[in-house]
Amino acid sequence: NAGVTQTPKFQVLKTGQSMTLQCAQDMNHEYMSWYRQDPGMGLRLIHYSVGAGITDQGEVPNGYNVSRSTTEDFPLRLLSAAPSQTSVYFCASSKGNTYNEQFFGPGTRLTVL
Amino acid sequence: AQSVTQLDSQVPVFEEAPVELRCNYSSSVSVYLFWYVQYPNQGLQLLLKYLSGSTLVESINGFEAEFNKSQTSFHLRKPSVHISDTAEYFCAVSDPNAGNMLTFGGGTRLMVKP
């Protein structure tokens, strides 16, 4: 199993550009989520999904969209990039309820100029 | 709303010395508690978790954490650290208002020196 994969690993955008961060898992996990990691702030939840066709907002959803058309994929879209979205983005998945272990991808480092 | 406070942003320690990484949380409901570890340039990995039962939980690599409900703490300890323990450690609680997704503390960078 590849686990949780994320592409790209690195990305530089200009303010106002849009892009999609890809996340896929091959463990048949129902739960998937996106976090952003900023120095001193830990990880903050952006959006999450408890199954295909179901998504909900986390702590910091503004400026991001998600969809979950399949169990395997959970892309994160930046609609109009801003410098405040410069961060490291992690996708995670877990089986059933998240008192089960969450498996994290390797992260995408995004810089917005 | 949940919140997690990790009291130390950095903890330098010499190899083979004991270490404690402190974590306090606030929540109006019962929660599940976790410690995750992030090695350089990697994603997070689960270190240990408390769900219920014994308040002392252990990991396979010698770390342990004790759930203290009265002090709302979940401190992580290791009696003797190794260079390979150098990493960032995150305490987290489950959030029942967000599908039991995790609320993380700010992280503690453990730096083990030879």
Side-chain angles (χ1 to χ4, degrees), chain A residues 21-72:
Chain A
L21 307 185
Q22 301 292 343
C23 174
Q25 52 91 8
D26 61 358
M27 298 173 283
N28 201 31
H29 285 170
E30 298 92 338
Y31 282 50
M32 295 187 74
S33 53
W34 277 101
Y35 295 87
R36 58 177 290 172
Q37 182 180 23
D38 301 292
M41 302 184 74
L43 281 75
R44 292 180 291 168
L45 182 65
I46 305 171
H47 286 284
Y48 66 98
S49 168
V50 299
I54 305 169
T55 63
D56 208 342
Q57 297 180 352
E59 180 186 355
V60 289
N62 292 341
Y64 308 95
N65 273 355
V66 292
S67 60
R68 184 97 180 271
S69 56
T70 67
T71 299
E72 294 78 21

Side-chain angles (χ1 to χ4, degrees), chain B residues 41-95:
Chain B
N41 299 313
Q42 294 186 26
L44 279 70
Q45 304 170 35
L46 179 66
L47 190 60
L48 46 76
K49 62 183 178 183
Y50 170 78
L51 303 181
S52 64
S54 173
T55 57
L56 185 66
V57 290
E58 298 177 352
S59 72
I60 58 173
N61 57 355
F63 283 94
E64 65 179 29
E66 185 161 19
F67 170 57
N68 188 319
K69 187 174 182 179
S70 62
Q71 296 186 10
T72 60
S73 68
F74 191 53
H75 301 331
L76 181 70
R77 302 183 183 95
K78 190 171 185 180
S80 176
V81 294
H82 299 208
I83 295 286
S84 59
D85 293 324
T86 294
E88 189 150 20
Y89 293 79
F90 293 94
C91 182
V93 300
S94 58
D95 185 346

